Amino acid sequence: MTRTIHTLLLPALVLAVACETSSRPSTTEPGTQQVSRFAVLYEGPELNVALGYFQATRSLGDEWLILAVELTAAAGSGNPIVDHSEIVVITPDGRHIPLMSQEEFRENYAEIRVPLERSLRTLPILGRYERSQMPCDRWFLVSPFGGFAYEEVAVNTFQVCSGPLVFRVVGGIQPGRWRLVIDLEESRVDIPFVLEAEQYR
């Protein structure tokens, strides 16, 4: 039953938002689909990822890139482990920026709290269409009063793990083609997304 659900997840999600995305260019990488104006869905051999970047489009010029992300295991992949140290974004000019540490996240939480909350309002993406999956309580970055942060998050097919991914961009966030990259044991997640200067207005 789980395999059937995941096989149908991406087509159902794409069809549900087809009207919204008809005027938007879709990504061309295998396994990647633009599912709404500010959201991309990736379906890979180990991991399915939903990436929301509404807040990022409002933050051009700022140093904090905030992405709202959901993770769940691909059908038949077992329980892949996502390591904090293997998550980066690649800027339009080719720089690799690592996911900020939990310590840095808490130190700067007061400054980023409002855009962080705004970003997370775009979730759920996966959960909106696959209601049989339960939320998990494991994530890489948590608020000062939010409990325990994980260096490694094990994902499975019956839960969706979600939360913010925050990156400090020295020199400010620039418009252009960005990529979220997650290296796994047997594959690499590579998700492009485009930030446009007037996109959210």
Side-chain angles (χ1 to χ4, degrees):
M1 181 64 177
T2 300
R3 181 181 296 272
T4 301
I5 288 172
H6 280 271
T7 301
L8 296 175
L9 174 60
L10 181 56
L13 182 55
V14 172
L15 287 173
V17 294
C19 293
E20 183 179 359
T21 61
S22 59
S23 63
R24 307 293 305 167
S26 62
T27 58
T28 57
E29 278 69 6
T32 323
Q33 177 68 45
Q34 190 90 31
V35 295
S36 75
R37 190 178 181 191
F38 302 108
V40 174
L41 182 67
Y42 167 88
E43 190 173 57
E46 294 185 86
L47 196 66
N48 296 330
V49 182
L51 185 159
Y53 54 94
F54 171 73
Q55 180 56 37
T57 66
R58 300 173 59 98
S59 303
L60 294 177
D62 296 343
E63 65 175 346
W64 304 109
L65 177 72
I66 303 175
L67 305 175
V69 174
E70 293 175 315
L71 307 174
T72 191
S77 65
N79 297 321
I81 294 176
V82 183
D83 193 308
H84 183 290
S85 65
E86 300 294 343
I87 302 173
V88 302
V89 290
I90 303 177
T91 67
D93 60 2
R95 288 179 292 156
H96 288 61
I97 301 177
L99 178 64
M100 70 159 44
S101 67
Q102 172 62 18
E103 181 180 4
E104 186 180 6
F105 181 75
R106 290 196 174 187
E107 288 174 353
N108 293 279
Y109 185 77
E111 180 181 349
I112 65 176
R113 181 182 61 82
V114 172
L116 190 70
E117 292 176 351
R118 188 184 295 126
S119 175
L120 293 179
R121 289 188 200 126
T122 63
L123 299 180
I125 300 171
L126 289 173
R128 198 177 304 164
Y129 302 94
E130 183 41 79
R131 299 185 183 277
S132 66
Q133 290 179 315
M134 301 295 293
C136 84
D137 59 358
R138 305 176 297 280
W139 199 249
F140 310 99
L141 304 172
V142 298
S143 69
F145 307 102
F148 181 73
Y150 287 76
E151 283 298 311
E152 295 182 341
V153 172
V155 295
N156 52 59
T157 57
F158 55 87
Q159 288 183 313
V160 174
C161 298
S162 64
L165 297 181
V166 185
F167 306 84
R168 191 167 201 160
V169 183
V170 176
I173 300 167
Q174 300 301 315
R177 181 183 174 90
W178 293 70
R179 289 159 55 200
L180 174 67
V181 174
I182 305 172
D183 280 319
L184 302 170
E185 183 176 355
E186 298 181 0
S187 64
R188 165 176 282 194
V189 174
D190 191 337
I191 308 173
F193 60 100
V194 177
L195 303 183
E196 299 177 19
E198 301 297 322
Q199 193 175 34
Y200 74 90
R201 293 188 172 93

